[in-house]
Amino acid sequence: GAASPAAATITTAQPLMVTVTVNGGSGDAAPSGAVTLTSGGYTSTPTTLAGGSAVITVPAHSLAAGSDMLTGSYTPDSASSSIYTSASGTGSITVTAPVPTYVLTVDSAAPSTGIYVTVSLPDINNAGSGTAPFTRTYNAGTQVSLSVPTDSGAYAFVSWSGCTSSSQTNCSVTINAATTVTATYNEAQVTSIGVSPGTATIGTQQQFTATVSG
């Protein structure tokens, strides 16, 4: 017999599907009975064979990190006990610790909403660019680049905060903890309105010019 995992490598946080196959002798009926799967401290419940094989799902967090040996053990039922004896087969899998994930919060200030942010790398949920504020979730150690427009409506870009490094409207951030980056803008303000000329003669036509400064 043999225990065949559906994957070569999983994390401790993932379930694993294993097919345990019991091969009979040439010309003999397919073995019937039940099989159990063991690995380290994990033992499955007995699972009945169907056509000489059974599929067992190992729940997440059941296997230890490292190189794990999976052993499938066969016990014949009354129909097969006259032909077959108990047997076992093995398979192996590499189990790793899961990579931690962290949330990246992308925000904007003045205005607090409405700034479109281009994100270079989709997150673990395949979400990328969006309109601030929004969040994205990344594996630890991921480097993400973000960029914003120089102007957005009546607002002009001022600076980034929370970035690992930034240059003009571009922000680069390495995700090793929950992180917030903020693109700060300001709205154009009128600083003065000037009218010229400053004097006119009553009874004569005069053209005036208004100058608005921001």
Side-chain angles (χ1 to χ4, degrees):
S4 303
T9 303
I10 62 168
T11 71
T12 55
Q14 293 177 299
L16 175 67
M17 187 171 66
V18 180
T19 300
V20 180
T21 303
V22 181
N23 298 310
S26 177
D28 293 325
S32 60
V35 292
T36 57
L37 186 69
T38 59
S39 180
Y42 168 76
T43 301
S44 73
T45 57
T47 303
T48 301
L49 290 171
S53 65
V55 177
I56 299 173
T57 299
V58 182
H61 305 291
S62 297
L63 302 178
S67 180
D68 288 15
M69 183 66 67
L70 306 170
T71 301
S73 300
Y74 165 65
T75 302
D77 60 11
S78 58
S80 284
S81 59
S82 61
I83 305 174
Y84 301 108
T85 60
S86 299
S88 64
T90 60
S92 62
I93 187 169
T94 300
V95 182
T96 62
V99 176
T101 60
Y102 297 106
V103 173
L104 170 66
T105 299
V106 181
D107 208 349
S108 64
S112 59
T113 61
I115 299 298
Y116 186 80
V117 183
T118 301
V119 180
S120 66
L121 186 67
D123 71 354
I124 62 173
N125 301 308
N126 203 35
S129 305
T131 300
F134 60 85
T135 61
R136 298 291 183 261
T137 303
Y138 291 96
N139 291 326
T142 303
Q143 182 173 312
V144 183
S145 296
L146 306 99
S147 62
V148 293
T150 302
D151 300 292
S152 181
Y155 299 91
F157 175 77
V158 176
S159 64
W160 281 102
S161 63
C163 305
T164 304
S165 63
S166 62
S167 175
Q168 298 178 340
T169 57
N170 301 310
C171 168
S172 178
V173 58
T174 301
I175 313 298
N176 283 314
T179 303
T180 298
V181 295
T182 303
T184 299
Y185 281 70
N186 66 14
E187 186 174 14
Q189 301 291 324
V190 173
T191 57
S192 66
I193 300 177
V195 178
S196 62
T199 61
T201 302
I202 295 175
T204 61
Q205 182 175 325
Q206 176 66 54
Q207 178 176 313
F208 291 89
T209 300
T211 303
V212 180
S213 300

